Amino acid sequence: MDMQSPSPPLLILVTIILTQLLSKSCYSSSLNSLIYVGCSQLRYSQGSPYESNLNSILTSIANAASYANYNNFKISLPGSDPGDAVYGLFQCRGDLASGDCRQCVSGAVARLGATCSGTTGGALQLEGCFVRFDNESFVGAEDKTVAADKCGPLVGGELARRDSVLSYLGAGGQFFRVSEAGKVQGVAQCVQDLSVGECQDCLSDAVERLRTQCGSAAWGDMFFAKCYARYSEHSYTSKTENDDEIEKTLAIFIGLVAGVAILVVFLSFLSKALDHKGGGK
């Protein structure tokens, strides 16, 4: 039986599809990267009304992310006492598409539920979304408690551009802000339960603290409980070693697949040329 190799167009198409699938996988992985998680010290009794309310609010959060990038809830099922009420909210990064938001929040809810199992409160921040629940109402209350802060290595040379980016992020306006100056990019966001004035106050403090604490660092993150500000010389999300490894793996994979595709195309044309030459004798 004469076996035929796949046609060059088919190989090229497969290469493109595989590359897009791997790129999407890497992007989703980045959105789910953990920034911080914290759990309350208080615990509830298994099988209690509070547990039922908590399960209900986590389900509501996961479902709501299918059609919105922010929402808040108060759940108190019939028969439960006022003290068993659970408060919660979620928010996705302002530039996320609805599908990415839904996927991020779904993963965050599962992760927070497992990490803070049995506790009355918890908060989890991923690259792409934020989820929080508690037995006391926090919705609408400004909170500038530092949840996470990191600075990259000191590099210098981009201070003017960094200051320009941070000045824009702290200047007021939208709940989600993006700025760029040369290589330096920045992003800032408030939880949408805050008023415009509270958002501005929160971000002003976050930006100033970021400017002071990170100095001439290549990148910096400042996460408060209700807002955050970040900058980087490469992207508006600080890169981790894992992100670098993913990008290197992706580049190697694309290079290998493209190389094989080119080799097959070359051999196919060479085979046809030889067949044509042999048939002409």
Short mmCIF file of all heavy atoms in Angstrom, two decimals, residues 155-194:
data_model
loop_
_atom_site.label_atom_id
_atom_site.label_comp_id
_atom_site.label_asym_id
_atom_site.label_seq_id
_atom_site.Cartn_x
_atom_site.Cartn_y
_atom_site.Cartn_z
N VAL A 155 16.78 48.63 39.09
CA VAL A 155 17.41 48.76 37.76
C VAL A 155 17.73 50.21 37.42
O VAL A 155 18.75 50.51 36.83
CB VAL A 155 16.51 48.16 36.66
CG1 VAL A 155 16.46 46.65 36.80
CG2 VAL A 155 15.12 48.74 36.70
N GLY A 156 16.82 51.15 37.76
CA GLY A 156 17.04 52.55 37.43
C GLY A 156 16.89 52.79 35.94
O GLY A 156 16.67 51.90 35.14
N GLY A 157 17.01 54.05 35.53
CA GLY A 157 16.98 54.39 34.12
C GLY A 157 15.60 54.67 33.56
O GLY A 157 15.46 55.26 32.50
N GLU A 158 14.54 54.26 34.23
CA GLU A 158 13.19 54.46 33.73
C GLU A 158 12.32 55.21 34.74
O GLU A 158 11.10 55.14 34.69
CB GLU A 158 12.54 53.11 33.41
CG GLU A 158 13.19 52.33 32.29
CD GLU A 158 12.92 52.93 30.93
OE1 GLU A 158 12.00 53.77 30.81
OE2 GLU A 158 13.62 52.58 29.96
N LEU A 159 12.96 55.91 35.67
CA LEU A 159 12.21 56.57 36.74
C LEU A 159 11.23 57.61 36.22
O LEU A 159 10.10 57.71 36.71
CB LEU A 159 13.18 57.22 37.73
CG LEU A 159 13.88 56.27 38.72
CD1 LEU A 159 14.81 57.05 39.63
CD2 LEU A 159 12.84 55.51 39.54
N ALA A 160 11.65 58.39 35.21
CA ALA A 160 10.77 59.43 34.68
C ALA A 160 9.51 58.81 34.06
O ALA A 160 8.39 59.29 34.29
CB ALA A 160 11.51 60.27 33.64
N ARG A 161 9.71 57.74 33.30
CA ARG A 161 8.56 57.09 32.68
C ARG A 161 7.68 56.39 33.72
O ARG A 161 6.46 56.40 33.63
CB ARG A 161 9.04 56.09 31.62
CG ARG A 161 9.64 56.77 30.40
CD ARG A 161 10.24 55.77 29.43
NE ARG A 161 10.72 56.45 28.23
CZ ARG A 161 11.42 55.86 27.27
NH1 ARG A 161 11.74 54.57 27.39
NH2 ARG A 161 11.81 56.54 26.20
N ARG A 162 8.33 55.77 34.70
CA ARG A 162 7.56 55.13 35.76
C ARG A 162 6.71 56.15 36.50
O ARG A 162 5.53 55.92 36.78
CB ARG A 162 8.48 54.42 36.74
CG ARG A 162 7.74 53.61 37.81
CD ARG A 162 8.49 53.55 39.12
NE ARG A 162 8.64 54.85 39.74
CZ ARG A 162 9.15 55.06 40.94
NH1 ARG A 162 9.61 54.04 41.63
NH2 ARG A 162 9.25 56.27 41.44
N ASP A 163 7.32 57.30 36.83
CA ASP A 163 6.58 58.35 37.54
C ASP A 163 5.42 58.87 36.69
O ASP A 163 4.36 59.21 37.22
CB ASP A 163 7.52 59.50 37.90
CG ASP A 163 8.46 59.13 39.04
OD1 ASP A 163 8.18 58.12 39.73
OD2 ASP A 163 9.47 59.83 39.24
N SER A 164 5.63 58.93 35.38
CA SER A 164 4.56 59.37 34.48
C SER A 164 3.40 58.39 34.52
O SER A 164 2.23 58.79 34.58
CB SER A 164 5.09 59.50 33.05
OG SER A 164 4.04 59.83 32.15
N VAL A 165 3.72 57.10 34.49
CA VAL A 165 2.69 56.06 34.54
C VAL A 165 1.94 56.13 35.86
O VAL A 165 0.71 56.10 35.90
CB VAL A 165 3.33 54.67 34.34
CG1 VAL A 165 2.35 53.56 34.74
CG2 VAL A 165 3.77 54.49 32.90
N LEU A 166 2.66 56.21 36.97
CA LEU A 166 2.04 56.24 38.28
C LEU A 166 1.20 57.50 38.49
O LEU A 166 0.15 57.46 39.13
CB LEU A 166 3.10 56.12 39.38
CG LEU A 166 3.84 54.78 39.45
CD1 LEU A 166 4.84 54.78 40.60
CD2 LEU A 166 2.86 53.62 39.63
N SER A 167 1.66 58.61 37.94
CA SER A 167 0.90 59.86 38.07
C SER A 167 -0.46 59.72 37.39
O SER A 167 -1.48 60.19 37.91
CB SER A 167 1.68 61.02 37.45
OG SER A 167 2.85 61.28 38.19
N TYR A 168 -0.48 59.08 36.23
CA TYR A 168 -1.74 58.88 35.53
C TYR A 168 -2.65 57.94 36.32
O TYR A 168 -3.86 58.19 36.45
CB TYR A 168 -1.51 58.30 34.13
CG TYR A 168 -2.79 58.02 33.38
CD1 TYR A 168 -3.42 59.03 32.66
CD2 TYR A 168 -3.38 56.76 33.42
CE1 TYR A 168 -4.61 58.79 31.99
CE2 TYR A 168 -4.56 56.51 32.75
CZ TYR A 168 -5.17 57.52 32.02
OH TYR A 168 -6.35 57.27 31.37
N LEU A 169 -2.08 56.86 36.84
CA LEU A 169 -2.88 55.89 37.59
C LEU A 169 -3.51 56.52 38.83
O LEU A 169 -4.61 56.12 39.23
CB LEU A 169 -2.02 54.69 38.02
CG LEU A 169 -1.45 53.82 36.90
CD1 LEU A 169 -0.64 52.68 37.48
CD2 LEU A 169 -2.56 53.28 36.00
N GLY A 170 -2.83 57.48 39.42
CA GLY A 170 -3.35 58.11 40.63
C GLY A 170 -4.11 59.39 40.39
O GLY A 170 -4.53 60.05 41.33
N ALA A 171 -4.34 59.73 39.11
CA ALA A 171 -4.94 61.03 38.80
C ALA A 171 -6.45 61.06 38.91
O ALA A 171 -7.06 62.13 38.89
CB ALA A 171 -4.53 61.46 37.39
N GLY A 172 -7.10 59.93 39.00
CA GLY A 172 -8.55 59.92 39.12
C GLY A 172 -9.23 59.51 37.84
O GLY A 172 -8.63 59.49 36.77
N GLY A 173 -10.51 59.18 37.99
CA GLY A 173 -11.28 58.77 36.82
C GLY A 173 -11.94 57.43 37.01
O GLY A 173 -12.71 57.22 37.94
N GLN A 174 -11.61 56.49 36.12
CA GLN A 174 -12.29 55.21 36.10
C GLN A 174 -11.86 54.29 37.25
O GLN A 174 -10.81 54.47 37.85
CB GLN A 174 -12.02 54.50 34.76
CG GLN A 174 -12.40 55.30 33.53
CD GLN A 174 -11.31 56.28 33.09
OE1 GLN A 174 -10.27 56.37 33.73
NE2 GLN A 174 -11.58 57.00 32.02
N PHE A 175 -12.69 53.27 37.47
CA PHE A 175 -12.34 52.26 38.46
C PHE A 175 -11.20 51.37 37.96
O PHE A 175 -10.46 50.81 38.76
CB PHE A 175 -13.56 51.38 38.77
CG PHE A 175 -14.53 52.03 39.71
CD1 PHE A 175 -15.55 52.84 39.22
CD2 PHE A 175 -14.43 51.85 41.07
CE1 PHE A 175 -16.45 53.45 40.09
CE2 PHE A 175 -15.32 52.45 41.96
CZ PHE A 175 -16.33 53.26 41.46
N PHE A 176 -11.04 51.27 36.63
CA PHE A 176 -9.96 50.50 36.02
C PHE A 176 -9.15 51.42 35.12
O PHE A 176 -9.69 52.06 34.22
CB PHE A 176 -10.52 49.33 35.21
CG PHE A 176 -9.46 48.50 34.52
CD1 PHE A 176 -8.61 47.68 35.24
CD2 PHE A 176 -9.32 48.55 33.14
CE1 PHE A 176 -7.64 46.92 34.61
CE2 PHE A 176 -8.36 47.79 32.49
CZ PHE A 176 -7.52 46.97 33.23
N ARG A 177 -7.86 51.49 35.37
CA ARG A 177 -7.00 52.44 34.65
C ARG A 177 -5.75 51.75 34.14
O ARG A 177 -5.13 50.96 34.85
CB ARG A 177 -6.59 53.60 35.56
CG ARG A 177 -7.75 54.22 36.32
CD ARG A 177 -7.28 55.17 37.39
NE ARG A 177 -8.39 55.58 38.25
CZ ARG A 177 -8.27 56.40 39.29
NH1 ARG A 177 -7.08 56.89 39.61
NH2 ARG A 177 -9.33 56.72 40.01
N VAL A 178 -5.36 52.06 32.91
CA VAL A 178 -4.14 51.53 32.31
C VAL A 178 -3.34 52.68 31.75
O VAL A 178 -3.89 53.61 31.14
CB VAL A 178 -4.47 50.53 31.18
CG1 VAL A 178 -3.18 50.01 30.54
CG2 VAL A 178 -5.28 49.36 31.71
N SER A 179 -2.03 52.65 31.95
CA SER A 179 -1.16 53.72 31.47
C SER A 179 0.12 53.13 30.91
O SER A 179 0.54 52.03 31.29
CB SER A 179 -0.82 54.70 32.61
OG SER A 179 0.02 55.74 32.15
N GLU A 180 0.75 53.85 29.98
CA GLU A 180 1.98 53.38 29.35
C GLU A 180 2.88 54.56 28.99
O GLU A 180 2.40 55.59 28.52
CB GLU A 180 1.64 52.58 28.09
CG GLU A 180 2.86 52.01 27.37
CD GLU A 180 2.48 51.15 26.18
OE1 GLU A 180 1.27 50.91 25.98
OE2 GLU A 180 3.38 50.73 25.44
N ALA A 181 4.17 54.39 29.24
CA ALA A 181 5.17 55.39 28.86
C ALA A 181 6.44 54.64 28.47
O ALA A 181 7.16 54.13 29.34
CB ALA A 181 5.45 56.36 30.00
N GLY A 182 6.71 54.56 27.18
CA GLY A 182 7.86 53.78 26.73
C GLY A 182 7.69 52.31 27.08
O GLY A 182 6.67 51.70 26.80
N LYS A 183 8.70 51.75 27.73
CA LYS A 183 8.63 50.35 28.15
C LYS A 183 7.74 50.13 29.37
O LYS A 183 7.27 49.02 29.61
CB LYS A 183 10.04 49.84 28.50
CG LYS A 183 11.02 49.79 27.35
CD LYS A 183 12.36 49.26 27.85
CE LYS A 183 13.38 49.19 26.73
NZ LYS A 183 14.68 48.68 27.25
N VAL A 184 7.52 51.19 30.13
CA VAL A 184 6.81 51.04 31.40
C VAL A 184 5.30 51.07 31.19
O VAL A 184 4.77 51.98 30.54
CB VAL A 184 7.22 52.14 32.38
CG1 VAL A 184 6.53 51.94 33.73
CG2 VAL A 184 8.73 52.17 32.57
N GLN A 185 4.64 50.08 31.73
CA GLN A 185 3.18 50.03 31.70
C GLN A 185 2.65 49.88 33.12
O GLN A 185 3.33 49.34 33.98
CB GLN A 185 2.71 48.85 30.84
CG GLN A 185 3.12 48.97 29.39
CD GLN A 185 2.57 47.81 28.56
OE1 GLN A 185 1.66 47.11 28.97
NE2 GLN A 185 3.15 47.62 27.38
N GLY A 186 1.44 50.37 33.34
CA GLY A 186 0.86 50.29 34.67
C GLY A 186 -0.63 50.02 34.62
O GLY A 186 -1.29 50.28 33.61
N VAL A 187 -1.16 49.47 35.71
CA VAL A 187 -2.59 49.20 35.81
C VAL A 187 -3.03 49.46 37.24
O VAL A 187 -2.26 49.24 38.19
CB VAL A 187 -2.93 47.75 35.39
CG1 VAL A 187 -2.25 46.74 36.29
CG2 VAL A 187 -4.43 47.51 35.40
N ALA A 188 -4.24 49.95 37.39
CA ALA A 188 -4.80 50.19 38.73
C ALA A 188 -6.29 49.88 38.67
O ALA A 188 -6.94 50.04 37.63
CB ALA A 188 -4.58 51.63 39.16
N GLN A 189 -6.83 49.43 39.79
CA GLN A 189 -8.25 49.09 39.83
C GLN A 189 -8.78 49.18 41.24
O GLN A 189 -8.09 48.82 42.20
CB GLN A 189 -8.48 47.69 39.26
CG GLN A 189 -9.95 47.32 39.11
CD GLN A 189 -10.15 46.02 38.34
OE1 GLN A 189 -9.25 45.21 38.22
NE2 GLN A 189 -11.34 45.82 37.81
N CYS A 190 -10.03 49.65 41.36
CA CYS A 190 -10.74 49.65 42.64
C CYS A 190 -11.84 48.61 42.58
O CYS A 190 -12.40 48.33 41.52
CB CYS A 190 -11.40 51.01 42.89
SG CYS A 190 -10.26 52.38 43.16
N VAL A 191 -12.19 48.06 43.74
CA VAL A 191 -13.39 47.24 43.82
C VAL A 191 -14.58 48.18 43.64
O VAL A 191 -14.64 49.25 44.23
CB VAL A 191 -13.47 46.50 45.16
CG1 VAL A 191 -14.75 45.67 45.23
CG2 VAL A 191 -12.25 45.60 45.33
N GLN A 192 -15.54 47.76 42.84
CA GLN A 192 -16.60 48.67 42.40
C GLN A 192 -17.68 48.95 43.45
O GLN A 192 -18.65 49.65 43.17
CB GLN A 192 -17.24 48.14 41.12
CG GLN A 192 -16.28 48.11 39.94
CD GLN A 192 -16.88 47.50 38.70
OE1 GLN A 192 -17.91 47.95 38.21
NE2 GLN A 192 -16.24 46.46 38.19
N ASP A 193 -17.52 48.43 44.66
CA ASP A 193 -18.46 48.79 45.72
C ASP A 193 -18.09 50.13 46.35
O ASP A 193 -18.87 50.68 47.14
CB ASP A 193 -18.54 47.71 46.79
CG ASP A 193 -17.21 47.52 47.52
OD1 ASP A 193 -16.15 47.72 46.91
OD2 ASP A 193 -17.24 47.15 48.71
N LEU A 194 -16.92 50.67 46.00
CA LEU A 194 -16.50 51.97 46.52
C LEU A 194 -17.13 53.10 45.71
O LEU A 194 -17.49 52.93 44.54
CB LEU A 194 -14.97 52.11 46.44
CG LEU A 194 -14.13 51.12 47.25
CD1 LEU A 194 -12.64 51.46 47.08
CD2 LEU A 194 -14.52 51.14 48.72
#
